Amino acid sequence: MDFKEVVGWRRSIRYFQPWRPVEREKIQTILETARLIPKPMGIDFVRSLVVYRDDLSQEDLEALKTPTTTAQLDMAPVYIFWFADMEALSRGIDGRNLKAMVETDVLPASHGWSEEYVDDVIVPQVYQRILDDPDRTSLTPPGRGGDQDGPTYSRALLNLARSAIGMAHAHALLSAFDEGLGTQLTALSAARIMDIPSHWVPSSGMLVGYHAESWEAGGQRPREPFEDDFYEGRYGVPFYRDQQVVEELKEEGMIQPEAPLSWRREEVRGLARMFGLPE
Ligand SMILES: Cc1cc2nc3c(=O)[nH]c(=O)nc-3n(C[C@H](O)[C@H](O)[C@H](O)COP(=O)(O)O)c2cc1C
């Protein structure tokens, strides 16, 4: 699929064919795509855990459900959990990732980069400051299973880690659609099945499977008006939205008819009947 079509067809899919497994190659492709995100500070923060629905006990499956994630968990055969490793920066505190990029001229001398610059400026003034920032938080606050004397992390580091997760989400979502799969990011209550390092920050999970609802899934979800969200030159001046560009993007499949499509209610009723769900 063309990039613009992938963007256009991506939407949150909430009905999957429960009987159709997802090929392992496709899951690997999603992971390979997420691996190639831009890296905040040159650090690889993102981790993931792939879980197969059919390997879980019924109790574990039920325990994953949340108020916003219910029937789709029974349907999607694969769940990908995304995390950020809060120790990744400490492990790379010697700046080796950046030095490797200096050595290969990715970070060029013309822009001020050198090994000495990494050692003398980036490590002490950027990395160390982020790690030592006094505005700190614990990953599991006391009262929610956290330890009063447990480790704390700077919020600056948490922000970087979460931005890496966001990028991994976006790459992975688009990759899934490119592979012909449907997917949805969603809140999951995963503590019961998660035996992961305590310094991994969790995020939304990703359900993956083949569409049981149509690819339209009721239409592209409405967004706020373009001019309300994007500015040009200075705040208050809306970025001028050229209608010719909009028309071209419609032709290329990126901007698609908006929800609700006239037949959506009937589709949802039909799906509910097929899966024995409330109508
Ligand atoms: C981080 C994140 C978490 C989300 N969690 C949920 C969720 O718990 N339940 C749900 O139904 N949708 C969830 N969504 C999907 C959004 O509801 C959805 O993206 C939004 O309504 C726009 O629709 P679209 O994805 O179909 O374009 C989540 C999306 C993101 C980015």
Side-chain angles (χ1 to χ4, degrees):
M1 230 193 283
D2 175 76
F3 175 74
K4 293 197 184 82
E5 282 181 293
V6 174
V7 173
W9 281 111
R10 187 218 59 78
R11 61 206 62 173
S12 297
I13 294 302
R14 295 184 173 85
Y15 297 89
F16 302 91
Q17 297 175 34
W19 51 82
R20 186 167 173 189
V22 176
E23 297 83 346
R24 203 171 176 283
E25 312 83 89
K26 293 193 173 189
I27 299 298
Q28 183 177 341
T29 301
I30 293 171
L31 301 177
E32 300 273 0
T33 311
R35 183 168 168 262
L36 295 179
I37 60 166
K39 305 194 290 181
M41 303 277 150
I43 297 295
D44 295 273
F45 280 103
V46 174
R47 307 286 181 262
S48 92
L49 175 66
V50 178
V51 172
Y52 301 97
R53 177 200 57 200
D54 294 345
D55 291 346
L56 296 178
S57 67
Q58 196 55 38
E59 297 75 54
D60 285 346
L61 186 62
E62 289 305 316
L64 281 171
K65 292 182 180 173
T66 69
T68 60
T69 312
T70 55
Q72 62 267 52
L73 263 174
D74 297 322
M75 297 181 195
V78 181
Y79 317 142
I80 306 181
F81 294 91
W82 297 98
F83 309 89
D85 181 349
M86 292 295 283
E87 296 292 343
L89 181 56
S90 305
R91 251 182 267 120
I93 190 67
D94 57 3
R96 75 184 90 114
N97 285 8
L98 294 180
K99 285 180 195 165
M101 288 198 270
V102 169
E103 218 169 279
T104 49
D105 294 311
V106 172
L107 296 176
S110 59
H111 290 37
W113 288 97
S114 65
E115 279 215 11
E116 296 69 46
Y117 185 71
V118 173
D119 281 333
D120 300 343
V121 178
I122 300 293
V123 169
Q125 292 183 32
V126 182
Y127 278 10
Q128 203 62 56
R129 274 197 198 164
I130 290 171
L131 286 177
D132 297 343
D133 194 288
D135 183 11
R136 307 183 79 73
T137 181
S138 145
L139 296 185
T140 39
R144 294 212 342 247
D147 168 5
Q148 188 92 42
D149 306 316
T152 60
Y153 296 94
S154 82
R155 285 186 204 276
L157 179 64
L158 191 56
N159 288 343
L160 284 179
R162 289 206 166 124
S163 74
I165 290 180
M167 278 184 287
H169 282 167
H171 269 221
L173 290 173
L174 293 174
S175 176
F177 282 84
D178 191 47
E179 291 299 309
L181 298 163
T183 178
Q184 185 207 350
L185 278 179
T186 200
L188 293 166
S189 158
R192 185 180 155 113
I193 64 159
M194 284 295 145
D195 184 18
I196 49 150
S198 57
H199 53 271
W200 284 16
V201 186
S203 70
S204 307
M206 205 175 125
L207 310 182
V208 188
Y210 283 93
H211 295 65
E213 59 187 310
S214 61
W215 274 62
E216 285 83 358
Q220 208 165 45
R221 288 35 163 163
R223 261 59 187 184
E224 289 181 338
F226 183 91
E227 295 80 2
D228 286 3
D229 291 346
F230 304 111
Y231 301 92
E232 195 163 21
R234 65 181 167 79
Y235 171 72
V237 180
F239 189 100
Y240 171 66
R241 193 181 198 198
D242 184 338
Q243 279 310 307
Q244 200 180 322
V245 175
V246 172
E247 292 310 315
E248 280 165 17
L249 294 175
K250 283 183 180 170
E251 259 171 48
E252 291 175 295
M254 185 168 129
I255 299 180
Q256 300 193 8
E258 260 188 20
L261 300 184
S262 61
W263 42 273
R264 177 60 170 174
R265 185 147 299 165
E266 287 310 309
E267 182 185 27
V268 168
R269 279 207 190 111
L271 287 161
R273 257 172 255 146
M274 178 164 86
F275 288 111
L277 297 169
E279 277 184 48

